[in-house]
Amino acid sequence: MLSITAIVALCIVPYVIYKYIIYPAFISPLSKIPNAHSSSPFSPLWILIKRFRDEENRSIHAAHVKHGDIVRLGPNEISVNCVDDGIRTIYSGGFEKWRWYNQFDNFGVPCMFSTAESKPHSHRRRVIANVYSKSYLQSSPEMHKISQTMIFSRILPVLESAAIEQKPVEVLDLSHASTMDFITAFMFGLQNGSNLTQDVSARTEFLDTYRRRRPYRFWSSELPGLKSVLNKLGPIIEPKFVQEATNYIENWTLTFTKAAEKSSTTKIPDEENIPTTTPVVYNQVHQSTLKSPFPYPQELQIATELQDHLAAGHETSGITLCYLFHELSMQPKLQEQLREEFLTLSPTLEYPSSVSTPELPSPQSLDALPLLHACLMETLRIHAAIPGPEPRITPSKPTSLAGSPPLPPGVRVSSQPYTLHRRADVFPDPEAWKPERWLEASEEQKAEMGRWFWAFGSGGRMCIGSNFAMQEMKLITAAIYTNYRTHIIDDEGIEQVDAYTAHPRANQLILGFERVEK
C-alpha cells in the first residue's frame, strides 16, 4: 500500500506541474504572447533581475524590437508598445494602477500620483488641475512675478558671475535648483519657497540627501513584503540613512507647508528683496482635502500631495534641461539660430537690463517659437526623464491588447516612453537627437509623432504639471541662450541610467558659459 505521504505527493505534484508549467506555458491566454525570455512563462525572476540591475528599459526595448508590439515579461506580466489597442486602451480605459506605485506614498499616505483607484484620484485632480492648465499659467500674476524673480534675480546673476570669472558651471544641480525654486514658489508662495539657485550649500545638502535613497527603490517597488520582513531583522537591505533621508525630505516639505498655511490666512506685503505671491497650489490642495474620500488626517493629505509635486516638479524638469543644454553645447550653430529666434521676442530677455524692473516676454510668445519647441520636444523624446514602464492592472472584463487573446483580470501590463519614442517608422533614425524632425514634418507626420510622444503620459493620469514644466523650461532656456554661449568642459558619465527616472550616470554635467556680444 502507498503511504499517505506518497498519496499526497501524487496529488500535489501533478497540480504543481499543471499550475506552474503546463498552464502558464500552453493554456494561459498569455501563452500566445511572445516571451521576452525563455523563463518568462514560469517565473518573474528574469525581469526582477533586470530591474534590480537597472537594465529594465533597454531589455524590454530589445524584446519589443525582436518580437513586436507585445511581449510577455513574466507569468503574469506583459509590455505593450503601440498606440491603438495599446496605450489608448490601457491608460484611458479603466485599467487601475498597480501596487508598485505605493513607493510614491509620503508620510505613509497616498498622494494623487500613487492612488490606485480612479475615483479618489479624479476627485483630487478635478480640484487641483485648473492651476496647472496652460491658460491659467499664461495669465497668472503669481507665475509672472515668480518668473521675473527667478530669471532676473537668481538664474541670470549666477550665470553672469560664472561667465565673468570664467568659472565652470555644474548644470545638472543648477537645473534641479532652478526648477525646485520655480515649483516651490508656485506651490507655497515666493516668500516661502526655496532658493537653491543662489544658496549652494542648501542646494548640495538637499540634492545629496534626495539622491541617497535612489539605489534602494527596487525593494519598495517590487518586493515590499520581503523588504518589510527583512527590515524587522535590521538594516539588511535598506541602511538606516535611507529612512533618515526620507525624514529629512518630509520635514523639509512640512516646513514649506506650515509657512504656506500662514501666508494663506495673513496678507504679507512685499519686502524690498523678497516679493510675495499667493501659495497657489497649497490653496488648491487644501481645498481638495475638505471633502476628501481618504481616511487620513487633513494635514498629511496636504503634505503628501505637495511633496509629490515638489519632487516631480524639480527632478524631471532638471534632467530635461541638463540634456537640452548638453545637446546645444555640442552645436554652436544651433545656439546661434536659437538666439536669433529669441531676439524676436518683445521685450527680449537680455541681461543686465537697462530698466530697474525688467519685463518678460509673454508666455504665449515663448510658446510660439518653433525652434525652441522643437529642441525641447526632441530632448523629451530621446532623453525622457522618466523613460520607464507605467504599470497598470487588467480590469475584470477580459480585454485584448495589441492583437492578444482576451486577457484575464489582474495581469500587470505597462508601456514605456523609452520604447514608444524609438519607433523607427514614426521617428526615423530614432537614436539621433534631431529637432528638425519636428520642423520639417508634414502636418500628418507631426500628428503621428504626437500620438506616440509619451513624455508626460496620457489619459486621466497624464502628468498634471506638464504645462508648468514646458513653460518654465522654455523660459529658462530662452533666458540663458539669449545671453550666453555654452560649451562642454566635462560630460563624462552623461549617459542616462537605465531606470524609471533616468538621470546622468555621473550625476553631473560641467559647462562653460561665455557672454555673447550685444
Side-chain angles (χ1 to χ4, degrees):
M1 276 183 73
L2 293 173
S3 66
I4 293 179
T5 302
I7 293 172
V8 170
L10 285 172
C11 294
I12 291 178
V13 170
Y15 171 78
V16 170
I17 292 173
Y18 173 80
K19 182 175 182 179
Y20 294 103
I21 298 177
I22 296 175
Y23 179 81
F26 303 105
I27 300 174
S28 165
L30 276 68
S31 66
K32 310 301 187 294
I33 298 170
N35 297 315
H37 187 263
S38 58
S39 66
S40 295
F42 315 112
S43 169
L45 186 61
W46 175 79
I47 191 61
L48 286 174
I49 290 173
K50 294 297 182 184
R51 287 170 180 148
F52 180 76
R53 293 177 175 173
D54 282 344
E55 299 172 351
E56 178 181 22
N57 305 338
R58 292 182 177 91
S59 297
I60 293 174
H61 179 66
H64 279 295
V65 170
K66 183 177 181 180
H67 296 294
D69 289 346
I70 185 168
V71 293
R72 188 179 189 180
L73 305 179
N76 200 45
E77 180 176 2
I78 62 173
S79 175
V80 177
N81 183 48
C82 57
V83 177
D84 299 321
D85 292 326
I87 59 174
R88 274 189 175 177
T89 303
I90 299 166
Y91 300 94
S92 303
F95 286 50
E96 300 286 20
K97 282 193 169 182
W98 176 251
R99 62 176 180 265
W100 182 88
Y101 289 92
N102 292 349
Q103 65 178 303
F104 298 104
D105 292 351
N106 306 299
F107 305 92
V109 176
C111 59
M112 184 169 61
F113 180 67
S114 66
T115 300
E117 299 81 11
S118 297
K119 190 173 181 180
H121 168 272
S122 298
H123 164 83
R124 183 168 289 176
R125 187 181 180 99
R126 278 195 302 271
V127 180
I128 300 172
N130 173 61
V131 299
Y132 282 113
S133 68
K134 179 181 282 192
S135 59
Y136 183 95
L137 292 167
Q138 290 185 343
S139 61
S140 165
E142 287 85 4
M143 190 64 176
H144 180 78
K145 186 183 285 189
I146 289 165
S147 299
Q148 277 183 311
T149 302
M150 296 302 162
I151 296 301
F152 292 115
S153 299
R154 298 191 188 180
I155 297 172
L156 291 179
V158 167
L159 295 178
E160 180 73 3
S161 176
I164 291 171
E165 298 173 14
Q166 298 184 336
K167 184 178 178 181
V169 178
E170 200 290 281
V171 297
L172 176 63
D173 280 8
L174 181 61
S175 297
H176 283 318
S178 301
T179 53
M180 178 66 88
D181 291 352
F182 255 103
I183 190 62
T184 56
F186 189 60
M187 290 166 58
F188 304 110
L190 187 54
Q191 68 279 15
N192 302 317
S194 61
N195 187 0
L196 302 186
T197 303
Q198 294 175 305
D199 190 339
V200 178
S201 61
R203 178 200 311 175
T204 301
E205 180 180 349
F206 175 81
L207 293 176
D208 286 352
T209 304
Y210 187 85
R211 290 167 179 158
R212 205 171 293 160
R213 305 182 300 169
R214 279 179 182 163
Y216 304 95
R217 281 287 192 187
F218 169 82
W219 303 102
S220 297
S221 61
E222 300 297 334
L223 299 170
L226 177 61
K227 172 192 166 183
S228 179
V229 170
L230 293 178
N231 276 351
K232 292 177 181 178
L233 303 176
I236 297 173
I237 59 172
E238 192 176 84
K240 282 182 63 178
F241 66 72
V242 174
Q243 186 57 50
E244 291 169 354
T246 297
N247 295 341
Y248 172 93
I249 295 165
E250 290 181 346
N251 288 333
W252 209 68
T253 302
L254 286 174
T255 300
F256 289 136
T257 303
K258 290 173 182 176
E261 181 182 13
K262 183 177 179 181
S263 293
S264 67
T265 57
T266 306
K267 177 64 176 176
I268 304 175
D270 281 5
E271 297 182 17
E272 184 176 349
N273 296 316
I274 311 176
T276 65
T277 59
T278 302
V280 176
V281 179
Y282 171 85
N283 287 345
Q284 292 298 110
V285 172
H286 181 272
Q287 184 68 24
S288 77
T289 63
L290 294 179
K291 295 182 180 179
S292 171
F294 295 103
Y296 302 102
Q298 184 186 26
E299 180 187 18
L300 293 185
Q301 290 188 54
I302 294 171
T304 187
E305 190 61 38
L306 295 174
Q307 182 161 312
D308 180 64
H309 289 223
L310 70 82
H314 90 277
E315 188 168 26
T316 55
S317 296
I319 290 170
T320 303
L321 286 173
C322 174
Y323 281 102
L324 175 57
F325 300 160
H326 182 252
E327 294 287 358
L328 292 176
S329 296
M330 293 188 287
Q331 301 193 44
K333 184 177 179 180
L334 183 56
Q335 291 185 46
E336 296 299 327
Q337 292 170 341
L338 273 172
R339 188 170 300 109
E340 290 174 9
E341 186 173 78
F342 297 150
L343 291 176
T344 66
L345 295 168
S346 180
T348 66
L349 287 160
E350 291 177 299
Y351 179 85
S353 174
S354 59
V355 297
S356 58
T357 306
E359 264 302 329
L360 296 169
S362 70
Q364 292 87 344
S365 63
L366 266 171
D367 197 41
L369 298 177
L371 183 55
L372 172 61
H373 185 72
C375 289
L376 189 51
M377 289 291 286
E378 185 67 352
T379 303
L380 288 163
R381 181 192 72 82
I382 196 64
H383 298 298
I386 299 183
E390 298 287 354
R392 297 292 190 270
I393 293 294
T394 52
S396 56
K397 180 182 178 180
T399 305
S400 176
L401 295 171
S404 74
L407 299 169
V411 176
R412 176 172 171 172
V413 54
S414 61
S415 297
Q416 61 175 20
Y418 187 92
T419 301
L420 290 164
H421 291 176
R422 285 167 170 77
R423 288 281 301 220
D425 54 339
V426 180
F427 304 103
D429 196 7
E431 294 294 344
W433 187 80
K434 290 184 173 181
E436 61 269 21
R437 75 172 80 242
W438 300 92
L439 298 170
E440 298 170 357
S442 66
E443 290 304 312
E444 183 180 354
Q445 290 170 324
K446 287 180 183 177
E448 184 66 3
M449 289 193 295
R451 285 188 347 119
W452 289 82
F453 181 79
W454 216 51
F456 298 113
S458 59
R461 298 275 192 155
M462 182 178 176
C463 173
I464 197 170
S466 59
N467 294 313
F468 184 94
M470 292 295 284
Q471 184 166 317
E472 71 169 344
M473 290 191 292
K474 286 184 176 182
L475 178 59
I476 291 171
T477 304
I480 291 174
Y481 285 96
T482 294
N483 295 284
Y484 308 101
R485 298 184 187 91
T486 61
H487 61 274
I488 295 169
I489 293 176
D490 184 357
D491 66 349
E492 184 177 354
I494 190 61
E495 63 274 9
Q496 288 180 277
V497 297
D498 190 357
Y500 177 73
T501 304
H503 55 86
R505 181 176 58 80
N507 272 322
Q508 71 167 24
L509 170 64
I510 300 176
L511 299 181
F513 284 74
E514 176 189 353
R515 167 157 281 288
V516 299
E517 295 180 6
K518 292 185 179 181

